[in-house]
Amino acid sequence: QLQLVESGGGLVQPGGSLRLACAASGFTLPDYGIGWFRQAPGKEREGVSCISSVGSTKYVDSVKGRFTISRDIVKNTVYLQMNSLKPEDTAVYFCAASLRRRWFQTSLTPTDFGSWGQGTQVTVSS
């Protein structure tokens, strides 16, 4: 059974940094792609970044140059390094695995993913 657990959220001032972690179990990372998504109150879930089975990455325009997705195969964990955080980055952040095994494409569409984690809150405020 594929399981994902997010961690690393918290309260940070504008301009600060956080690193989120998505620990996977029940599968190994190269078998599935991983996506990071976020949902702010009253808004739809938004794709933030993803990494495919072969390591290709994609970012939503609003985080390009500020966020970096990476993975540690040994630890079976995907990270989202978030720098230069802005108040509009405030949301609950979720990770999810691609529905398709050996997923060689990239997508920020939530319906391409399943096995969602429980989410971690990120609040950017002074």
Side-chain angles (χ1 to χ4, degrees):
Q1 182 179 358
L2 280 67
Q3 285 191 318
L4 298 169
V5 178
E6 304 95 336
S7 62
L11 173 64
V12 63
Q13 292 186 341
S17 299
L18 282 175
R19 188 177 77 157
L20 304 183
C22 174
S25 61
F27 69 101
T28 56
L29 282 179
D31 279 347
Y32 290 86
I34 298 293
W36 279 102
F37 300 82
R38 63 187 179 188
Q39 189 164 18
K43 295 188 177 181
E44 292 187 354
R45 189 165 296 190
E46 173 190 36
V48 176
S49 181
C50 69
I51 186 165
S52 74
S53 296
V54 293
S56 303
T57 61
K58 186 174 184 176
Y59 299 90
V60 67
D61 286 346
S62 61
V63 308
K64 285 180 180 177
R66 300 190 298 124
F67 291 11
T68 303
I69 192 170
S70 63
R71 65 185 181 184
D72 185 324
I73 300 298
V74 174
K75 294 183 178 180
N76 219 33
T77 299
V78 172
Y79 300 98
L80 186 67
Q81 178 67 44
M82 305 187 297
N83 299 328
S84 302
L85 283 161
K86 305 175 181 180
E88 51 263 43
D89 294 318
T90 295
V92 178
Y93 283 71
F94 302 87
C95 63
S98 59
L99 290 174
R100 182 173 296 179
R101 191 168 174 263
R102 298 297 174 97
W103 190 64
F104 301 122
Q105 63 192 59
T106 56
S107 168
L108 298 179
T109 303
T111 52
D112 288 337
F113 295 84
S115 302
W116 293 82
Q118 82 288 349
T120 185
Q121 176 71 46
V122 172
T123 303
V124 185
S125 175
S126 55

